Amino acid sequence: MKYPTSLTVCASLLTIRLFHLYIIRSWYVPDEYWQSLEIAHYITFGFGYRTWEWIVGVRSYLSISWIVIVYKILKFFSLDTLQFLIWSPRFLQTLFSTFSDYCFVSWIQKHSKCLNVFWPVVCYMSSPFLAYCSTRTLVNTLETNMTTIALYYYPWSLRNKDVKFLWIVALVCVMRPTAIIVWLPLIAFDFFAHKRYTLNNLARYICIGLTSLMLSITLDTYFHGSFVVTQWNFLYYNIIKKVNAHYSVEHWYWYFVSGLPPVLGPIFFIFIYCFIKKIKHINLNDIDSKLIITVFWSLSVLSMIAHKEQRFLLPLFPMIFFITSQQISIVCNKFIKLGTFTVILNIIVLIYLGRYHQIGSTRVMPYLAKIPQNSTLLFLMPCHSTPLYSHLHLNISARILTCEPNLNGISNYTDEADIFFENPNKWLDESYSAQSNNNLPTHIVMFEVLSNTLHAFLTKGKYKNVLSMFHTDFPSTRIGRYINVFSCIEYPDQYNYFEGRFR
């Protein structure tokens, strides 16, 4: 079968990802900003917010070094406008995702048993969860990109003895240590299939690993200000001290029931069919068998970790779509209307998630970025519910409710956010009493579910609701349908700008 030219494929993939970049304006998880843009802003401009992960040295600066470079260039040429700071990293992430998409297409064209990869590629590119994350500055997105590229360069044929994929794997593992879970089976398959247990090959493995590790240690020590091995700290705090359990704990079977099925959609049923079919005839020389073992192994090990999130499954997506590619092609070619309907439904889901669900967190920031320089901000929301300095670019006083885990082993520990929501008025009275020496903030940002609870405080402080921004159709106990901004000082220009109700 004659395939389109590389230029046509690249242009098509880039067009799709640029569409995703245009669509995705919503809030997903704090890490998109607080573990990337915020710390890069702090490094580049000298002010910002560092979460506890960067203070104790849990995260590797390798994962955000490219954002720091972008910000440094913008600063050097005096182009550090708010729009450039927000969108230039996302644009570069989109380009990198496009390159990994091209590697995925080339990989299944070259190695899969699928004769026509059109439908597998269309399903892969329209996968709502993958598209939802592909343009975000998440370390999980970067990890997925690098994993896809490494899978393309992986020596699937015995004739191919190249080890360039190991450099990519080593970098992704020092950047995010849990990546070793995914790559351990594939490295073992390569090691024994190509008989790399000679002295020269072992020396090559060790050299690649140590070089990547030393690069990370050097970079992390420089930015951290003292010697630090972030990979060890990552394992120590998350595995040994289990501080990640502070953010949520799920049952061991969560990934199999609630994690993978929703993000894969209809492809999940095809994957289960392919898994059952292949598990009966495992052949370690077969690519699908290797990938089936890798996916099952990864899901099993990740299930042992208390804290679970769907985004942790992103690096498995290229493998799952490779495994299901032949069956996707068969089903979609046989039921073209069903395949077309699925793609259209995927696009509708993506548009809703990208444009309407949890949209207030990002939409409120441009308005806050226009407040006077002498203003003070207080966010009375679940911690990290919005971006901060990376979306303000103002060196103003801003306070958020923190939710740091129990790093010091304090008995009956409760984080600040939980303390606040247990009794909001008491927290405010203690924080802004005469004894605290804290002046009342000029602006308070909160979900509307708190407005009635804090009515007395807001009235006493002479606050006015200057903005009400739609956030979500699915409010919860602490997260409301709208985000409200209150101001205790009337700035005529800002008041006219803020006033109104937005959806």
Side-chain angles (χ1 to χ4, degrees), residues 402-416:
T402 60
C403 54
E404 295 177 355
N406 188 8
L407 300 176
N408 300 315
I410 301 172
S411 59
N412 300 318
Y413 175 79
T414 305
D415 64 47
E416 185 180 34

Side-chain angles (χ1 to χ4, degrees), residues 1-16:
M1 178 182 177
K2 186 178 180 180
Y3 290 110
T5 63
S6 296
L7 183 60
T8 303
V9 173
C10 286
S12 300
L13 297 175
L14 179 59
T15 301
I16 294 170

Side-chain angles (χ1 to χ4, degrees), residues 104-117:
F104 173 77
V105 174
S106 302
W107 178 40
I108 65 170
Q109 281 181 342
K110 187 175 182 180
H111 294 290
S112 75
K113 298 173 184 176
C114 183
L115 298 178
N116 185 349
V117 301

Side-chain angles (χ1 to χ4, degrees), residues 113 271-283 286-293 323 326:
K113 298 173 184 176
F271 173 66
I272 292 299
Y273 171 80
C274 294
F275 177 83
I276 295 172
K277 184 180 178 181
K278 180 57 65 175
I279 206 72
K280 295 178 180 178
H281 308 284
I282 285 290
N283 177 7
D286 177 59
I287 297 177
D288 285 354
S289 295
K290 292 178 181 178
L291 293 176
I292 284 284
I293 292 171
I323 294 166
Q326 185 180 23

Side-chain angles (χ1 to χ4, degrees), residues 203-463:
R204 184 184 298 178
Y205 265 72
I206 294 171
C207 178
I208 292 173
L210 286 179
T211 301
S212 301
L213 183 60
M214 290 306 299
L215 171 64
S216 174
I217 291 174
T218 302
L219 189 68
D220 294 338
T221 297
Y222 172 76
F223 283 115
H224 189 69
S226 60
F227 180 78
V228 64
V229 182
T230 57
Q231 294 74 27
W232 163 250
N233 287 344
F234 183 92
L235 295 173
Y236 174 73
Y237 282 101
N238 287 307
I239 305 301
I240 299 175
K241 295 196 72 171
K242 299 180 180 180
V243 298
N244 57 1
H246 175 76
Y247 297 106
S248 70
V249 176
E250 306 293 346
H251 293 292
W252 67 268
Y253 53 79
W254 187 85
Y255 280 126
F256 298 96
V257 176
S258 303
L260 197 58
V263 295
L264 277 182
I267 303 300
F268 176 75
F269 300 103
I270 296 178
F271 173 66
I272 292 299
Y273 171 80
C274 294
F275 177 83
I276 295 172
K277 184 180 178 181
K278 180 57 65 175
I279 206 72
K280 295 178 180 178
H281 308 284
I282 285 290
N283 177 7
L284 294 183
N285 294 320
D286 177 59
I287 297 177
D288 285 354
S289 295
K290 292 178 181 178
L291 293 176
I292 284 284
I293 292 171
T294 301
V295 171
F296 183 73
W297 157 266
S298 301
L299 287 171
S300 300
V301 176
L302 289 171
S303 295
M304 298 178 190
I305 301 174
H307 180 62
K308 301 174 178 66
E309 292 187 45
Q310 291 173 326
R311 61 191 172 102
F312 297 161
L313 301 177
L314 276 171
L316 300 179
F317 267 58
M319 302 182 198
I320 290 173
F321 274 89
F322 184 99
I323 294 166
T324 57
S325 60
Q326 185 180 23
Q327 202 60 40
I328 289 174
S329 181
I330 292 172
V331 172
C332 290
N333 281 317
K334 189 174 181 180
F335 305 100
I336 296 178
K337 291 183 178 179
L338 177 63
T340 305
F341 173 77
T342 301
V343 172
I344 293 173
L345 184 62
N346 286 346
I347 295 172
I348 293 172
V349 170
L350 178 65
I351 291 174
Y352 176 77
L353 292 175
R355 284 284 178 168
Y356 300 101
H357 180 58
Q358 298 186 156
I359 194 67
S361 294
T362 52
R363 288 188 66 197
V364 75
M365 298 310 292
Y367 299 95
L368 296 176
K370 293 181 180 294
I371 64 177
Q373 188 75 35
N374 61 344
S375 302
T376 54
L377 278 168
L378 173 63
F379 291 82
L380 297 179
M381 316 168 83
C383 66
H384 312 314
S385 289
T386 67
L388 195 57
Y389 290 102
S390 63
H391 282 54
L392 290 175
H393 200 41
L394 295 172
N395 191 6
I396 64 175
S397 175
R399 181 177 181 181
I400 67 168
L401 300 174
T402 60
C403 54
E404 295 177 355
N406 188 8
L407 300 176
N408 300 315
I410 301 172
S411 59
N412 300 318
Y413 175 79
T414 305
D415 64 47
E416 185 180 34
D418 285 339
I419 292 173
F420 168 79
F421 282 105
E422 284 176 6
N423 194 330
N425 285 294
K426 179 182 177 182
W427 185 92
L428 285 168
D429 289 339
E430 292 176 352
S431 298
Y432 295 98
S433 63
Q435 292 78 14
S436 68
N437 295 321
N438 290 333
N439 295 322
L440 286 174
T442 61
H443 295 79
I444 300 177
V445 188
M446 68 176 77
F447 288 109
E448 99 283 355
V449 292
L450 270 179
S451 298
N452 290 333
T453 304
L454 301 182
H455 178 74
F457 175 83
L458 295 172
T459 302
K460 184 179 179 181
K462 298 181 180 179
Y463 285 96

Side-chain angles (χ1 to χ4, degrees), residues 48-204:
Y49 191 100
R50 290 193 305 161
T51 59
W52 69 270
E53 291 95 334
W54 299 97
I55 294 173
V56 303
V58 169
R59 303 273 182 166
S60 174
Y61 288 88
L62 198 61
S63 64
I64 62 156
S65 55
W66 64 280
I67 304 177
V68 173
I69 293 172
V70 171
Y71 280 2
K72 291 281 188 183
I73 293 172
L74 292 176
K75 181 182 179 182
F76 180 80
F77 289 103
S78 299
L79 294 173
D80 53 318
T81 64
L82 196 57
Q83 292 301 315
F84 273 125
L85 291 176
I86 293 171
W87 289 103
S88 53
R90 287 199 60 187
F91 178 73
L92 284 180
Q93 178 56 67
T94 301
L95 295 181
F96 195 46
S97 290
T98 302
F99 177 67
S100 74
D101 294 333
Y102 178 76
C103 289
F104 173 77
V105 174
S106 302
W107 178 40
I108 65 170
Q109 281 181 342
K110 187 175 182 180
H111 294 290
S112 75
K113 298 173 184 176
C114 183
L115 298 178
N116 185 349
V117 301
F118 173 78
W119 278 110
V121 171
V122 168
C123 290
Y124 180 81
M125 294 299 293
S126 67
S127 170
F129 187 65
L130 192 61
Y132 188 63
C133 298
S134 64
T135 66
R136 298 183 184 273
T137 51
L138 279 167
V139 68
N140 310 95
T141 302
L142 187 61
E143 179 189 358
T144 303
N145 295 154
M146 296 178 70
T147 297
T148 307
I149 297 167
L151 288 170
Y152 170 70
Y153 286 109
Y154 185 88
W156 298 104
S157 168
L158 290 176
R159 294 190 300 273
N160 183 358
K161 299 186 181 298
D162 197 352
V163 294
K164 67 176 67 174
F165 83 99
L166 284 175
W167 286 103
I168 305 173
V169 173
L171 285 174
V172 75
C173 286
V174 297
M175 182 182 72
R176 185 160 174 78
T178 51
I180 193 63
I181 296 172
V182 175
W183 277 102
L184 195 59
L186 290 173
I187 291 174
F189 289 141
D190 170 72
F191 188 81
F192 290 104
H194 290 91
K195 300 179 180 178
R196 299 193 193 275
Y197 30 76
T198 63
L199 190 60
N200 287 338
N201 281 322
L202 285 174
R204 184 184 298 178

